[in-house]
Amino acid sequence: AQTVTQSQPEMSVQEAETVTLSCTYDTSENNYYLFWYKQPPSRQMILVIRQEAYKQQNATENRFSVNFQKAAKSFSLKISDSQLGDTAMYFCAFMKPWLSGGYNKLIFGAGTRLAVHP
Amino acid sequence: NAGVTQTPKFQVLKTGQSMTLQCAQDMNHNSMYWYRQDPGMGLRLIYYSASEGTTDKGEVPNGYNVSRLNKREFSLRLESAAPSQTSVYFCASSAGTVYTQYFGPGTRLTVL
């Protein structure tokens, strides 16, 4: 069974600095998808970034980028130039495509609470 | 474009009461999902609907029922609420089951 582990329950960073959130996962699959979702105090779950396992290039989205290490089963999120609005809970998630149809299960880690300080 | 909407935002129930959580999406997505979020556990799937007319159990379906009313709407029903169902409930949708899921704002449910 697939599992997702976020080993940092809480992190803090100063505004404008860079922070990296860790995520590891366990799977025997070769093709899958990885996601980072952000949940601010408003509780809304917001997609930050998505990575397809078959792509060697790391995904980027403005100030957010990932370091995808497939062999190590590691998927860390780097936030550059941190802003106060980045304060949120961040969830790493794994999805194994079920190519023959049916549900592609989205498995979440327990989350990392990030606080950005002025 | 509202995306995924959920009602109500907050609800307090007594043990044994029933209620239905409503979810609607305006993105013409085929697949819809219900999750619950408990402290320290991330999100867990309760039920999903891969397409209109189909529903299937997720990881934690006990105590819940769902209805895919049409392509837009997917409701979650608690027939006899229990304190263990105190949680935040999220609805999500995706274009298909292989695609990115987009979430609603959540419903905070407390069962006394």
Side-chain angles (χ1 to χ4, degrees):
Chain A
Q2 288 82 13
T3 59
V4 177
T5 302
Q6 294 179 249
S7 59
Q8 306 151 315
E10 295 185 359
M11 294 192 71
S12 64
V13 65
Q14 294 295 122
E15 200 174 5
E17 293 186 345
T18 295
V19 64
T20 299
L21 308 183
S22 300
C23 173
T24 58
Y25 56 94
D26 184 25
T27 184
S28 58
E29 301 296 329
N30 189 46
N31 295 318
Y32 49 87
Y33 299 87
L34 294 162
F35 305 83
W36 278 99
Y37 281 90
K38 167 185 176 181
Q39 187 179 40
S42 67
R43 206 172 61 209
Q44 179 81 48
M45 291 287 286
I46 302 165
L47 176 68
V48 175
I49 205 162
R50 163 185 162 130
Q51 174 82 42
E52 290 84 355
Y54 63 85
K55 291 186 178 179
Q56 293 184 342
Q57 186 174 8
N58 289 326
T60 62
E61 193 69 44
N62 300 318
R63 297 182 295 106
F64 297 88
S65 62
V66 297
N67 183 5
F68 173 48
Q69 301 288 331
K70 191 173 183 179
K73 297 179 183 176
S74 171
F75 183 60
S76 59
L77 176 69
K78 186 172 82 170
I79 306 174
S80 304
D81 186 25
S82 297
Q83 300 176 358
L84 297 178
D86 295 333
T87 292
M89 195 79 166
Y90 287 81
F91 291 96
C92 178
F94 170 98
M95 177 190 288
K96 180 185 83 69
W98 190 350
L99 300 178
S100 60
Y103 171 64
N104 299 296
K105 188 174 183 178
L106 193 59
I107 301 169
F108 287 86
T112 295
R113 187 174 303 280
L114 176 67
V116 180
H117 300 288
Chain B
N1 188 340
V4 180
T5 57
Q6 293 182 235
T7 54
K9 286 187 168 50
F10 301 93
Q11 184 71 50
V12 178
L13 294 177
K14 294 181 180 178
T15 297
Q17 288 185 319
S18 62
M19 79 159 296
T20 300
L21 307 183
Q22 306 287 353
C23 173
Q25 52 90 11
D26 63 2
M27 296 176 281
N28 200 35
H29 284 171
N30 291 316
S31 303
M32 297 185 74
Y33 314 84
W34 276 105
Y35 291 88
R36 61 179 287 173
Q37 182 180 25
D38 300 299
M41 298 187 71
L43 279 74
R44 293 181 294 167
L45 183 71
I46 305 171
Y47 269 93
Y48 69 98
S49 172
S51 61
E52 186 179 358
T54 68
T55 60
D56 286 285
K57 295 178 181 178
E59 299 173 78
V60 288
N62 291 344
Y64 305 95
N65 286 301
V66 291
S67 295
R68 184 74 182 268
L69 304 170
N70 48 55
K71 191 172 185 178
R72 290 187 63 249
E73 299 172 288
F74 188 39
S75 62
L76 177 72
R77 182 161 179 85
L78 287 72
E79 290 291 352
S80 179
S84 61
Q85 294 179 304
T86 293
S87 189
V88 179
Y89 291 85
F90 287 95
C91 177
S93 71
S94 66
T97 53
V98 297
Y99 296 102
T100 300
Q101 295 179 21
Y102 295 90
F103 288 78
T107 295
R108 183 176 294 280
L109 175 67
T110 301
V111 183
L112 302 175

